[in-house]
Structure formats: structure tokens, C-alpha cells
């Protein structure tokens, strides 16, 4: 059984300007696992995707709050939970399909595909008008020495 | 993010400088549209050498540029793509539909 050795929580408003802030914060937190540049970049990318989903879809016509909780386990695993209290996802299976988007032309519909392929585990739970929780897990393997 | 461009002997080189995510994608698309409308150079290079971060919004921007170039009968090459951005593009198999070239001096 693995144990949590560190944990952090942040909350911020769903402004697109906070996407960069969110990925930098999580990357900084993950850096204590001594990841490679590629691992850090993957973490930044998936956080950016999940936070963008909150900004674009969850709080489409309003400003809401995005919550990120991240845990580091003693087996060098990082867990990142990104949660909103927005509109929710009607059909999670459909949302996970590559190229599927209900967003504007600047969305590619590849967000969940990237999260799935860059991380070891992706879990999405959602309730209509209650919100969505995306949990991403990755074991940091290639540690610099 | 900043969009820069240079014209040289029938070639239009567009550079993205900084981080390309949802917050900058619309501006990047607007700049591309304006540049392709203003200049009729047959060859277009998108130089990503100074792109420090890209998420899936960059996929939409590159596809937008590719479609625009095709519609206007221009040739598009994406050059000097950093590893991080290439990993995002490859996840979408973008390298199968757009012409990527590495280490090009433009």
C-alpha cells in the first residue's frame, strides 16, 4: 500500500489567463520527484488540457472556480485532481473520443486523448449541473541522478 | 504569445514566440488569417523554434493554417518544432497530414 508524502491544493477563477499559472504550479510541485524534462512537460500539458476544459466547457458563459489537488506518494507517483462545479459532461464516453468537441474552432477535441496518452491513468466523473472531476495519475520513472 | 513574420523571395515565414494555449489560440488564428490575406507568397513556413509550450490548442491552430494554405493554393511547411510540441502533434497524428521539417535555417 502506498502512502501520501506530500499534498497541495489551489483554487482560482476560470480565466484563460490562469491556464499557464495552473500548469506552472503543478509542475513546480511535481519537481520534487526529480522528473525528467519530458515528464514535467507531459504534466504541464495535461494540466493545461484539463484546466482549459473547465474554462471552455464547464463555465462556458460565466466565471467559476477551478480546484486542483495534487498528491505525491512514496512510490514516486503523482496524482492530480482537477475539479469544477460547472455544467458537467452529458456523455463522458463521447467526450473521451478523439476529435470530439463542442467548443469553438480553436478547440481540437484532443484534450482527453492527450491526457489519456500522456498519463498512466485518467479518471473522469461528472454530474450534470454539479460539475466534473478529472483525476490524472503518473508514476515518475526516469529520475535524473 | 507573440506572432512574428518575415518575407523573403516568395516565402512567408511565420514564427510563434512563447506559449500557445487556449488563451492565445484565437489571436494566433487571427494573425494567420490576416497574413495569408495580405501576402500572396506561395511558400509558407511556420517556424516553431521559439515556441516554449503548446497544448491541444496548437493542433487546432496548425490545422487552421494548413486548411487556409490549401484553400489559397500555398505550400506549408512546419519547421523547427520543439520536442514538447511535437509530442502533442504526434498524439493527434498531425505529422501524417502536415509537412514537418526539422532544423531548417530560415
Amino acid at each position: 500500500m502506498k502512502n501520501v508524502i506530500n499534498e497541495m491544493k489551489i483554487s482560482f477563477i476560470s480565466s484563460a489567463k490562469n491556464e499557464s499559472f495552473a500548469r506552472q504550479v503543478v509542475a513546480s510541485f511535481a519537481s520534487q520527484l526529480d522528473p525528467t524534462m519530458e515528464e514535467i512537460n507531459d504534466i504541464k500539458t495535461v494540466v493545461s488540457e484539463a484546466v482549459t476544459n473547465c474554462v471552455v466547457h464547464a463555465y462556458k458563459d460565466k466565471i467559476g472556480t477551478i480546484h486542483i489537488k495534487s498528491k505525491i506518494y512514496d512510490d514516486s507517483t503523482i496524482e492530480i485532481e482537477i475539479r469544477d462545479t460547472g455544467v458537467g459532461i452529458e456523455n463522458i464516453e463521447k467526450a473521451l473520443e478523439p476529435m470530439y468537441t463542442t467548443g469553438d474552432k480553436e478547440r481540437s477535441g484532443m484534450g482527453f486523448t492527450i491526457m489519456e496518452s500522456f498519463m498512466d491513468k485518467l479518471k473522469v466523473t461528472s454530474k450534470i449541473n454539479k460539475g466534473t472531476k478529472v483525476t490524472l495519475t503518473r508514476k515518475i520513472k526516469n529520475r535524473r541522478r | 504569445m507573440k506572432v512574428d513574420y518575415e518575407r523573403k523571395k516568395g516565402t512567408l515565414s511565420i514564427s510563434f514566440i512563447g506559449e500557445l494555449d487556449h488563451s492565445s489560440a484565437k489571436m494566433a488564428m487571427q494573425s494567420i488569417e490576416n497574413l495569408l490575406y495580405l501576402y500572396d507568397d506561395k511558400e509558407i513556413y511556420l517556424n516553431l523554434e521559439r515556441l516554449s509550450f503548446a497544448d491541444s490548442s496548437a493542433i487546432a491552430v496548425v490545422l487552421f493554417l494548413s486548411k487556409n494554405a490549401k484553400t489559397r493554393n500555398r505550400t506549408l511547411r512546419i519547421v523547427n518544432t520543439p520536442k514538447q510540441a511535437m509530442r502533442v502533434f504526434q498524439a493527434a497524428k498531425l505529422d501524417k497530414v502536415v509537412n514537418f521539417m526539422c532544423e531548417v535555417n530560415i
Side-chain angles (χ1 to χ4, degrees), chain A residues 105-106, chain B residues 1-7 12-17 20 23-41 44-46 60-62 64-66 68-69 72 74:
Chain A
K105 66 174 180 183
E106 65 270 14
Chain B
M1 196 197 70
K2 195 181 150 205
V3 178
D4 214 349
Y5 75 96
E6 198 186 4
R7 297 178 71 209
L12 172 67
S13 301
I14 304 169
S15 298
F16 289 166
I17 302 151
L20 177 52
S23 68
S24 49
K26 206 175 257 183
M27 180 277 290
M29 285 179 172
Q30 192 60 60
S31 302
I32 284 167
E33 204 158 37
N34 292 345
L35 287 169
L36 266 63
Y37 175 77
L38 282 172
Y39 305 119
D40 59 358
D41 303 278
I44 301 164
Y45 284 92
L46 177 64
V61 172
V62 168
F64 176 80
L65 171 57
S66 173
N68 249 276
R72 293 166 196 264
R74 321 274 181 90

Side-chain angles (χ1 to χ4, degrees), chain A residues 23 42 45 48-49 107, chain B residues 19 21 55-57 84 87:
Chain A
R23 59 180 180 257
D42 284 355
T45 309
S48 197
E49 300 298 347
R107 303 302 309 141
Chain B
E19 299 189 329
D21 61 11
D55 67 10
S56 67
S57 307
Q84 185 273 330
R87 193 160 149 71

Side-chain angles (χ1 to χ4, degrees), chain B residues 1-4 6 8 13-20 45-54 62 77-86 89 100-106:
Chain B
M1 196 197 70
K2 195 181 150 205
V3 178
D4 214 349
E6 198 186 4
K8 231 191 275 175
S13 301
I14 304 169
S15 298
F16 289 166
I17 302 151
E19 299 189 329
L20 177 52
Y45 284 92
L46 177 64
N47 187 2
L48 300 181
E49 196 178 5
R50 290 194 280 168
L51 182 68
S52 53
F53 175 82
V62 168
R77 292 182 183 90
I78 318 277
V79 299
N80 304 324
T81 310
K83 269 187 189 173
Q84 185 273 330
M86 200 62 203
F89 295 147
F100 282 89
M101 294 170 81
C102 23
E103 288 181 46
V104 174
N105 232 340
I106 51 171

